[in-house]
Amino acid sequence: MTEDSLKTKKPRIAVYPGTFDPMTRGHLDIVTRAEALCDHLVIGVASNEDKHPLFSLEERLEIVQEEIETLNLKTQVWVKPFTGLLVNFAYDEKADFVVRGLRAVSDFEYEFQMAGMNARLSPSVETVFLIASDRCQFISSTLIKEITELGGDVSQFVSKNLERRLKNKLRHLP
Ligand code: COA
């Protein structure tokens, strides 16, 4: 490879999609590790209204932005909303690959199916799986919401800022 071709090398773009309802330390672990694999990382926040998220899309975007600002990232990271198919979002973002975190065997079947379907829909988009770090293996957004609602301590799973937001949100629910 010549010096010129190195200079003109296309930046590697990765998309990390999720509902992020809300973003946990587990997601942040994936963001930190994904950034080492690309030049630009796009965090795609899916509207996923069918999942009836606790936080609105605007709130989730705000939370993701706040959370990643606490990380010492070297790569350019954008936070963007998306609706519709992930492969279309990845295409629009000119992504080279999609990143997903894998926690346990139970994640595998769903992720395997999704990666397979996405590969059929858009063969040019590769899915890269990162195994969740051991301290993040059991983190789940659903369980964090449940523990907060029942008055438990979630400080080891989410940031202080998010803990406050969760308590506020759940306190004001009917
Ligand atoms: N550490 C800890 N927890 C993690 C984690 C990690 N590394 N990775 C995922 N999780 C958890 C989350 O906490 C969340 O927990 P919950 O199930 O208790 O809520 C769960 O895994 C999944 O959440 P998230 O990572 O936000 O992703 P998702 O599965 O909700 O997102 C999309 C799925 C957005 C990728 C998918 O819905 C999608 O592609 N939508 C677009 C429509 C589309 O293209 N459909 C066709 C697909 S073939």
Side-chain angles (χ1 to χ4, degrees):
M1 205 178 273
T2 65
E3 206 174 307
D4 275 353
S5 68
L6 273 174
K7 271 185 205 152
T8 53
K9 211 174 132 231
K10 181 186 165 295
R12 291 185 68 77
I13 302 173
V15 160
Y16 178 33
T19 310
F20 302 116
D21 184 42
M23 185 171 234
T24 66
R25 289 198 199 280
H27 292 123
L28 291 173
D29 162 54
I30 299 295
V31 169
T32 316
R33 291 162 50 208
E35 77 141 344
L37 306 176
C38 60
D39 302 300
H40 304 314
L41 179 65
V42 182
I43 303 182
V45 182
S47 67
N48 262 352
E49 293 308 322
D50 292 356
K51 269 189 140 183
H52 303 292
L54 173 68
F55 290 98
S56 68
L57 179 60
E58 290 66 31
E59 288 171 318
R60 284 180 279 137
L61 285 163
E62 208 175 278
I63 291 169
V64 173
Q65 190 64 52
E66 285 167 4
E67 294 299 308
I68 61 160
E69 276 167 19
T70 66
L71 303 173
N72 198 9
L73 298 175
K74 292 167 204 80
T75 306
Q76 256 182 307
V77 179
W78 286 285
V79 181
K80 299 188 181 180
F82 80 98
T83 49
L85 288 176
L86 169 61
V87 286
N88 291 347
F89 178 65
Y91 179 83
D92 291 344
E93 294 301 324
K94 301 182 177 51
D96 297 288
F97 60 97
V98 166
V99 176
R100 289 288 288 166
L102 269 186
R103 288 165 299 174
V105 180
S106 53
D107 280 346
F108 181 77
E109 211 170 321
Y110 170 63
E111 295 295 340
F112 176 76
Q113 205 168 20
M114 211 161 54
M117 293 290 265
N118 284 336
R120 287 292 181 97
L121 291 171
S122 177
S124 62
V125 176
E126 199 63 70
T127 305
V128 171
F129 292 106
L130 295 178
I131 305 289
S133 304
D134 53 356
R135 65 184 189 287
C136 300
Q137 283 287 333
F138 302 101
I139 303 180
S140 130
S141 299
T142 304
L143 292 179
I144 285 170
K145 286 177 275 191
E146 187 177 320
I147 295 167
T148 310
E149 203 166 3
L150 298 173
D153 176 9
V154 292
S155 57
Q156 55 178 311
F157 312 120
V158 298
S159 67
K160 274 262 163 293
N161 173 43
L162 186 54
E163 200 182 348
R164 200 168 39 244
R165 272 184 177 268
L166 271 165
K167 282 182 184 157
N168 266 336
K169 187 74 169 177
L170 291 164
R171 198 181 303 139
H172 291 110
L173 281 187

